[in-house]
Amino acid sequence: MLESLGSLTSSPWIYAVVALSVLLDVFLPVLPSGVLVITVATAAAAGSTTVSTVAGAAEQVPREVPSLLVLGLCAATASVLGDLVAYRLARRGGDRFDRAIAKSRRLTSAHARLGATLNRGGGALVVIARFAPAGRSVVSLGAGAAHRKVKDFLPWSAVAGVVWAGYSVGLGYFGGQWLGASWFGAAVSVLALFGAGALAAYVMRRRPVTAAAPVAVCADA
């Protein structure tokens, strides 16, 4: 298991694959970018692999493993860039996105929560939504469609990207350390990521919309 996991993630191209997956999953939430980040981090937990020598003794042989720092930076940067691209696209097609949002009660509610949060100068919802299924898409596209100021949205998007990337990398690495750098360790870490997503979705549903903070249209940044 360890060898197969290591061979899958030992190529330097894995960083490009991770970045592309994270960047695109704002448009295609079905992409398993979080699963990919955890798998690569689990491989990094291996550090070296044990092989048998001719004499029959076992020794540790170093092999190429992903850098946790580079992995985290790739994931966080791609997350912010993907949010910004979605924001800009939705901003240009605001009327179409407004009509699409109005057709869904769930999207309308989430959109109102986002507006209330940003109007109050806070961005906890942006961070929480990064973990919820499709939450990143709703927040990024919704902020653009409502013409939120970049200075109100982008800093919180950056915080969300860093927190999400750090959490995912940490899950994979420490899961690999404690449970072994294997597919089992990666699977347990993925379940923990899904658990965080379910909790985030619950918080987003339960968070009340503040009537005193209407969803106002902001001017360009």
Side-chain angles (χ1 to χ4, degrees):
M1 286 292 186
L2 184 59
E3 287 81 0
S4 61
L5 186 60
S7 63
L8 179 67
T9 59
S10 59
S11 171
W13 285 102
I14 192 63
Y15 300 118
V17 174
V18 167
L20 186 62
S21 176
V22 174
L23 191 150
L24 292 179
D25 78 358
V26 68
F27 304 104
L28 301 170
V30 295
L31 287 178
S33 60
V35 176
L36 181 58
V37 171
I38 286 177
T39 301
V40 177
T42 301
S48 61
T49 186
T50 302
V51 298
S52 297
T53 63
V54 176
E59 63 179 23
Q60 294 292 321
V61 177
R63 62 175 175 81
E64 291 294 326
V65 294
S67 166
L68 293 178
L69 178 59
V70 176
L71 176 62
L73 287 175
C74 283
T77 302
S79 178
V80 177
L81 288 177
D83 289 355
L84 186 58
V85 170
Y87 168 88
R88 288 299 186 186
L89 290 177
R91 192 177 180 85
R92 292 181 178 180
D95 293 339
R96 291 192 296 273
F97 279 101
D98 285 341
R99 290 194 293 269
I101 289 173
K103 295 178 181 178
S104 170
R105 180 179 300 177
R106 181 180 179 183
L107 290 178
T108 301
S109 178
H111 188 53
R113 290 189 181 94
L114 172 64
T117 300
L118 293 179
N119 283 335
R120 290 196 301 269
L125 184 65
V126 178
V127 179
I128 294 172
R130 184 62 184 84
F131 290 83
R136 178 189 178 200
S137 303
V138 171
V139 166
S140 300
L141 295 173
H147 293 261
R148 300 287 161 192
K149 291 183 178 180
V150 173
K151 67 179 182 179
D152 292 334
F153 168 70
L154 192 57
W156 287 108
S157 170
V159 172
V162 170
V163 171
W164 174 83
Y167 180 75
S168 301
V169 170
L171 276 181
Y173 181 77
F174 290 110
Q177 288 285 320
W178 296 332
L179 301 174
S182 63
W183 291 112
F184 174 74
V188 172
S189 298
V190 168
L191 288 177
L193 181 66
F194 287 166
L199 178 61
Y202 174 79
V203 171
M204 289 182 68
R205 288 196 301 268
R206 300 291 295 178
R207 190 185 181 99
V209 179
T210 304
V215 181
V217 176
C218 299
D220 288 344

